Amino acid sequence: MIDKIVLASGNAGKLREFSQIFSEWQVEVLPQFAFDVPEAEETGLSFIENAILKARNAARHSGLPALADDSGLAVDALGGAPGIYSARFAGAGADDAKNNSRLLEALQGVDDSHRGAAFYCALAFVRSAEDPVPVVCTGSWRGRILQAPRGEQGFGYDPLFWVEEHRCSSAELARETKNRISHRARAMEHFAAAWQALAEEH
Ligand SMILES: O=c1nc[nH]c2c1ncn2[C@H]1C[C@H](O)[C@@H](COP(=O)(O)OP(=O)(O)OP(=O)(O)O)O1
Ligand SMILES: [Mg+2]
């Protein structure tokens, strides 16, 4: 029975959302910083490959089963960029504010009808660092990039991501609403279905 896992992320916004989502699960989730897990090199060419790399890295350094999330924003008018490079769109070590300004700059003069975008999230779960059959679940979330930021909640590109069905930005959404409809929430729904079988494994 798996009753403790490590979350293979150094992103405080993600860790907050995962602990909110996992709060109803019968499993203890620990952040990777509790085990001094070094940041993994994200050398994959897809969200899925990077998530597997991060999960294996955290499992190796913690000795626990690990769940990783690799996610990002794909903007239609930028041919899907920044995509897997979302965390460093404004350069290595860029923070959310710099990445958001870079995005507004890149979309200067693009009208609302051409600012469609989607968030993608790939989750990878490994029972151990060498697990030959990682569990991979994905989710996506369509929206539109605003001309100026709105809202204080969330993290990353949330202030620029317009959610039509709620007529607000992702940073204006109540946390529990975002945790029900986001790319991460959708990927976690798939993971919840897989978890039943996983948790019963020897
Ligand atoms: O719900 C979200 N709302 C807004 N922005 C988001 C979201 N989900 C991912 N994002 C953005 C943040 C970051 O720019 C990139 C993730 O990059 P990604 O490499 O997966 O995460 P990270 O480097 O921040 O932490 P870590 O790799 O340790 O999990 O996409
Ligand atoms: Mg990363």
Side-chain angles (χ1 to χ4, degrees), residues 19 39 48 52 81 85 90 98 105 110 125 128 145 150 155-156 158 164 166 180 183 190-191 194:
S19 48
E39 190 164 354
I48 290 176
I52 294 174
Y85 305 107
K98 288 199 181 79
E105 202 184 286
V110 176
F125 176 83
S128 65
I145 305 303
R150 287 174 55 146
F155 66 101
D158 280 336
E164 187 56 35
H166 290 272
R180 232 184 347 53
H183 50 313
H190 296 305
F191 184 60

Side-chain angles (χ1 to χ4, degrees), residues 15 17 20 31 52-53 64 70 72 75-76 90 93 98 103 105 128 130 134 138 143 149 157 159 166 179 184 190 198:
L15 291 173
E17 290 185 3
Q20 289 158 356
I52 294 174
L53 281 168
L64 284 176
D70 198 53
V75 181
D76 303 349
K98 288 199 181 79
L103 179 57
E105 202 184 286
S128 65
E130 315 308 325
T138 61
Y157 296 95
H166 290 272
N179 288 340
R184 184 160 301 105
H190 296 305
L198 271 167

Side-chain angles (χ1 to χ4, degrees), residues 6-153:
V6 59
L7 279 177
S9 177
N11 182 306
K14 288 189 193 178
L15 291 173
R16 214 178 18 254
E17 290 185 3
F18 278 120
S19 48
Q20 289 158 356
I21 295 172
F22 271 112
S23 59
E24 281 111 59
W25 294 38
Q26 310 306 322
V27 61
E28 187 184 358
V29 288
L30 298 161
Q32 67 177 13
F33 63 71
F35 301 92
D36 291 333
V37 174
E39 190 164 354
E41 278 281 297
E42 295 184 33
T43 53
L45 296 179
S46 68
F47 293 116
I48 290 176
E49 289 164 271
N50 281 332
I52 294 174
L53 281 168
K54 291 191 272 190
R56 291 196 192 285
N57 177 57
R60 186 166 299 112
H61 287 89
S62 68
L64 284 176
L67 178 70
D69 157 321
D70 198 53
S71 40
L73 180 70
V75 181
D76 303 349
L78 304 178
I84 59 169
Y85 305 107
S86 296
R88 43 194 195 270
F89 190 35
D95 62 14
D96 290 348
K98 288 199 181 79
N99 284 332
N100 279 296
S101 318
R102 172 88 182 76
L103 179 57
L104 286 177
E105 202 184 286
L107 290 177
Q108 199 127 48
V110 176
D111 64 40
D112 283 357
S113 60
H114 292 88
R115 294 173 81 96
F119 274 122
Y120 289 91
C121 173
L123 298 175
F125 176 83
V126 292
R127 302 159 187 78
S128 65
E130 315 308 325
D131 188 342
V133 278
V135 176
V136 175
C137 301
T138 61
S140 62
W141 189 23
R142 276 293 299 171
R144 173 167 57 82
I145 305 303
L146 288 162
Q147 304 275 354
R150 287 174 55 146
E152 311 295 326
Q153 310 222 49

Side-chain angles (χ1 to χ4, degrees), residues 163-197:
V163 184
E164 187 56 35
E165 63 177 311
H166 290 272
R167 305 285 307 148
C168 69
S169 79
S170 176
E172 293 171 310
L173 280 177
R175 293 306 82 204
E176 49 286 351
T177 307
K178 184 186 171 187
N179 288 340
R180 232 184 347 53
I181 64 173
S182 78
H183 50 313
R184 184 160 301 105
R186 291 172 182 165
M188 277 298 288
E189 269 169 34
H190 296 305
F191 184 60
W195 180 253
Q196 292 315 318

